[in-house]
Amino acid sequence: MRTVIGLEIHAQLLTDTKLFCDCSADYFGKEPNTNTCPVCLGMPGTLPVLNERAVEYGVRAALALNCEIPERSKFDRKNYFYPDLPKGYQISQFDEPLAVHGHLEVNGNVIRIRRVHLEEDAGKLIHQAGNYSSVDLNRVGVPLIEIVTEPDIQTPEEARAFMEKLRQALRYIEVCSGDMEKGSLRCDANISLSEDDELGTKTEVKNMNSFRAVEKALQFEQKRQKRALNEGEKVEQVTLGWNADKEEAKLMRSKEEAHDYRYFPEPDLVPLKIDEAWKEEIREGLPELPDEKRERWADEYGLPEYDIDVLTEDKKTATYFEETVAEYSSPKTVSNWMMSEVFRVMKLPEAELENVTPTEFAYLVKLADDGEINNNTAKEVLEEAFTSEDSPKDIVEERGLKRISDEGLIEEKIEEVITENEDAVEDYRNGNEKVLGFLIGQLMSKTKGKADPNKAREILQEKL
Ligand code: ADP
Ligand code: ZN
Ligand code: MG
C-alpha cells in the first residue's frame, strides 16, 4: 500500500509589529489581552495597513523555497466564527497567493511546494478546568506565512525530515524562530493510503508541537488507515487532533470545504504588487542556504559529510567555523575541536560563543596543533575562555602555558636533573634504559609539564 503525505505549515514571521497594525508581534508570555489595539480587535471603523517587512520576509521565504513570485497577489477574507477571531474573518490569501511552484529537496527527493501565502494569526483559547475557556487575543494579527506542499511526501519519517529541513532554511534566512513548542512553527499533516496510482481519501492531523510528534502522529494515522482499508472499511475525510501524551489522534471535526469559508476579496486592502527590482534585491540579500553551503564545504574543505551536517545545522555555528578556517586553514582540525570541545563547553551555563572570536579560537587550535601547548591544556584554556571574558591568548600567556621548546632552556633544566639524580644516571649508564622515563618525569615536574617531550628525550639521551 502506498502512503501519500502533504503538509500545510504555518510559520510566524519575525517582524517587530503585527501584519496590519502597530502592536508588537512578540506576544509570547505577555499578560493576556494586553497586546492588542482597535485594529487587531476588529473594532468597527478601523482599517488594516499592510506591514511591508512581513511582505519582504514572505518573499524571502518563498525565494529560499525556490518559488515563483507573481507580480500580483491579493488578500481575501476567510470567514469563520470562533471566539479566537474577533473580526469574524481572517485576512488571508486565497486564489492569488504570494508565491507558487517551489520545491525543497529532502534526502534526494524533491518535494514540490504548491504555494506560500501571507495571513494573520488568530488568538488563543485556553481551556480551563471546569466547563469554560478563556480567550487571549495577544496573538491576533501576528504575521504568518502558510506553506503548502504537494502530496509528494512518502513516509512519516520523510515528513519529519522535511519539517527539519524547512525549519533550518527559515532560520538561516532569519524570518522565523522555528520554535515548534512555542507554536512559532506549526504543521497540519494530510495523509492517505491507496493500492494504486489514484490518491486515496485523506485525513488531516493537527496539534503536533514537535518534530517527533509530526512523525508519531503520521505513523499512528498510517497504521489506522491501513487497518481500516485492509478490513474493507472506508476512510472518512476528517480532521484529527494529536494527543502527544496518549500518542493517539482523535476526531476533531468532519472536513470543512473551501466554500464553507465564503472567501471573498478583502475590500480594505489593494492588491499586492511585488515589482521585479524589489524581488531581485531581496534575492541578492539572501544568505548562502544550507544545501549550497554543504556542497561548497565538501568541495572547499573536503570535510566528511557527518562533520558538514553537524556544523551547518545552524548558521551561527557554520559562520563561526568558516571564520575560524579563514584564520587557520586546517578544516578537519578545526572541525574536530568544534564538534568535541566547543560543543561540550557550550552546554555549560556561563558559556557563550561570543566570548571567543574566531581569530582567538584559531590561535588556540593552531597552538595545540603545533604542539606548543598540550591537548589537555588547550582543552582547559578553551573551557575557561568560552566561559569568561579572558581570551585564550591572555590565559596562555598569563599562566605561561606554552610548551618549552627552547633547547637552551631544556638543556639547563636537564643539567639540574642529572646532578640531582646521580644514582639514576649511574643506573642508566649501566644499561638500565627504563630509568630514562623517570628522568624525563623529573624534568617535566621541574617545567610543570611544559617541556617538549620529544626534544627533552633527545637532549637527555645525548647528555647521558
Ligand atoms: P483541501 O482542499 O482538502 O484543503 P488541498 O488540495 O488544498 O486539500 O490540499 C491540502 C494539503 O493536503 C496539501 O498539502 C496537499 O498536498 C495535501 N493533500 C491533498 N490531497 C491529498 C491526499 N489524497 N493525500 C494526502 N495528502 C493530500
Ligand atoms: Zn493591534
Ligand atoms: Mg486546503
Side-chain angles (χ1 to χ4, degrees):
M1 229 178 274
R2 184 172 71 107
T3 299
V4 168
I5 296 167
L7 303 176
E8 295 166 285
I9 298 123
H10 288 91
Q12 234 161 56
L13 298 175
L14 285 169
T15 54
D16 292 338
T17 55
K18 291 184 178 180
L19 190 51
F20 300 116
C21 64
D22 282 341
C23 291
S24 170
D26 183 17
Y27 71 92
F28 200 85
K30 289 195 173 147
E31 182 78 14
N33 301 306
T34 57
N35 188 46
T36 58
C37 74
V39 176
C40 54
L41 290 177
M43 298 294 185
T46 60
L47 290 169
V49 177
L50 181 60
N51 179 342
E52 184 178 342
R53 185 55 60 85
V55 179
E56 182 191 329
Y57 283 8
V59 170
R60 221 151 124 173
L63 290 174
L65 297 172
N66 309 293
C67 288
E68 289 162 25
I69 300 182
E71 195 188 0
R72 177 194 139 111
S73 69
K74 79 178 201 330
F75 289 96
D76 301 281
R77 290 188 181 179
K78 179 178 180 177
N79 300 278
Y80 66 88
F81 297 96
Y82 206 60
D84 64 2
L85 192 69
K87 292 201 291 284
Y89 60 85
Q90 176 192 30
I91 304 180
S92 179
Q93 296 189 294
F94 184 51
D95 54 349
E96 293 185 61
L98 181 73
V100 294
H101 296 149
H103 62 88
L104 188 65
E105 201 178 302
V106 179
N107 302 324
N109 289 342
V110 174
I111 311 299
R112 288 171 300 160
I113 297 192
R114 180 182 296 174
R115 56 186 283 154
V116 176
H117 71 249
L118 285 163
E119 63 184 30
E120 55 179 345
D121 210 343
K124 267 187 179 171
L125 291 189
I126 302 150
H127 302 295
Q128 306 284 8
N131 211 6
Y132 73 102
S133 298
S134 304
V135 186
D136 177 7
L137 298 176
N138 285 348
R139 196 177 67 181
V140 169
V142 165
L144 303 175
I145 44 172
E146 179 172 337
I147 301 161
V148 182
T149 78
E150 293 294 345
D152 288 348
I153 299 168
Q154 296 170 19
T155 62
E157 299 71 40
E158 191 176 44
R160 179 195 182 137
F162 177 90
M163 285 303 292
E164 289 174 343
K165 186 104 191 247
L166 175 68
R167 174 176 111 128
Q168 187 187 38
L170 295 176
R171 285 165 58 107
Y172 258 73
I173 61 173
E174 294 173 42
V175 300
C176 176
S177 75
D179 194 333
M180 288 191 81
E181 251 131 68
K182 286 187 180 163
S184 313
L185 184 66
R186 313 195 278 270
C187 160
D188 301 336
N190 299 271
I191 176 168
S192 68
L193 271 62
S194 70
E195 300 272 15
D196 50 33
D197 287 348
E198 299 277 301
L199 289 178
T201 305
K202 71 177 160 74
T203 58
E204 179 174 349
V205 201
K206 290 177 174 290
N207 294 342
M208 293 86 79
N209 59 5
S210 67
F211 295 113
R212 186 186 131 85
V214 172
E215 185 177 339
K216 285 262 162 205
L218 283 167
Q219 282 167 346
F220 175 92
E221 196 41 23
Q222 186 183 37
K223 242 186 231 159
R224 189 189 69 85
Q225 287 188 21
K226 190 179 260 177
R227 197 178 313 126
L229 292 172
N230 280 337
E231 285 169 15
E233 288 168 26
K234 254 178 70 182
V235 171
E236 302 283 340
Q237 186 169 340
V238 292
T239 301
L240 304 155
W242 178 244
N243 182 324
D245 294 329
K246 294 188 182 162
E247 300 210 333
E248 62 181 30
K250 274 187 100 170
L251 182 71
M252 282 172 77
R253 55 173 184 256
S254 64
K255 174 67 190 172
E256 63 285 288
E257 299 284 345
H259 62 247
D260 296 333
Y261 292 122
R262 299 181 301 116
Y263 277 102
F264 62 85
E266 167 59 63
D268 293 335
L269 290 165
V270 294
L272 178 58
K273 285 215 163 149
I274 311 281
D275 71 67
E276 201 58 29
W278 192 41
K279 186 166 64 181
E280 287 318 309
E281 190 185 315
I282 296 171
R283 198 195 298 278
E284 306 263 294
L286 284 179
E288 183 177 41
L289 294 168
D291 278 349
E292 298 162 7
K293 204 183 268 306
R294 273 193 284 270
E295 227 169 273
R296 183 172 62 79
W297 281 25
D299 289 349
E300 257 174 51
Y301 301 148
L303 285 176
E305 204 172 302
Y306 176 79
D307 296 43
I308 294 180
D309 282 346
V310 172
L311 294 172
T312 57
E313 174 55 34
D314 67 82
K315 193 168 67 178
K316 187 169 146 184
T317 307
T319 305
Y320 195 87
F321 176 82
E322 286 168 347
E323 290 175 5
T324 305
V325 170
E327 300 284 336
Y328 181 53
S329 61
S330 197
K332 184 56 185 159
T333 313
V334 174
S335 167
N336 289 345
W337 277 95
M338 277 191 75
M339 291 200 303
S340 55
E341 289 308 303
V342 177
F343 285 9
R344 173 183 69 81
V345 169
M346 276 310 131
K347 295 199 184 94
L348 301 174
E350 328 81 73
E352 307 250 9
L353 199 60
E354 287 74 18
N355 278 342
V356 179
T357 65
T359 310
E360 292 167 347
F361 178 56
Y363 160 86
L364 184 64
V365 172
K366 181 169 178 343
L367 220 55
D369 210 18
D370 289 348
E372 298 257 349
I373 60 178
N374 73 43
N375 273 345
N376 285 333
T377 308
K379 286 176 192 174
E380 284 165 28
V381 173
L382 187 141
E383 177 167 332
E384 177 150 359
F386 276 102
T387 52
S388 76
E389 302 277 278
D390 299 340
S391 78
K393 195 166 188 168
D394 292 344
I395 298 169
V396 167
E397 280 171 6
E398 251 163 48
R399 303 203 194 148
L401 294 174
K402 263 201 210 174
R403 221 172 232 175
I404 304 169
S405 35
D406 175 342
E407 295 189 10
L409 198 62
I410 295 177
E411 246 181 83
E412 198 176 291
K413 296 284 169 193
I414 284 176
E415 293 292 355
E416 285 177 36
V417 169
I418 290 174
T419 42
E420 285 163 19
N421 296 280
E422 279 174 8
D423 292 350
V425 171
E426 195 61 31
D427 271 5
Y428 181 81
R429 289 184 175 142
N430 291 333
N432 185 357
E433 301 228 337
K434 280 189 207 149
V435 176
L436 197 65
F438 165 77
L439 293 172
I440 291 175
Q442 295 299 301
L443 175 71
M444 285 302 178
S445 83
K446 260 190 194 302
T447 58
K448 301 198 182 73
K450 290 182 304 182
D452 180 325
N454 293 329
K455 282 225 170 86
R457 177 174 293 270
E458 227 173 80
I459 297 172
L460 191 56
Q461 274 171 331
E462 224 168 80
K463 296 242 169 233
L464 293 172

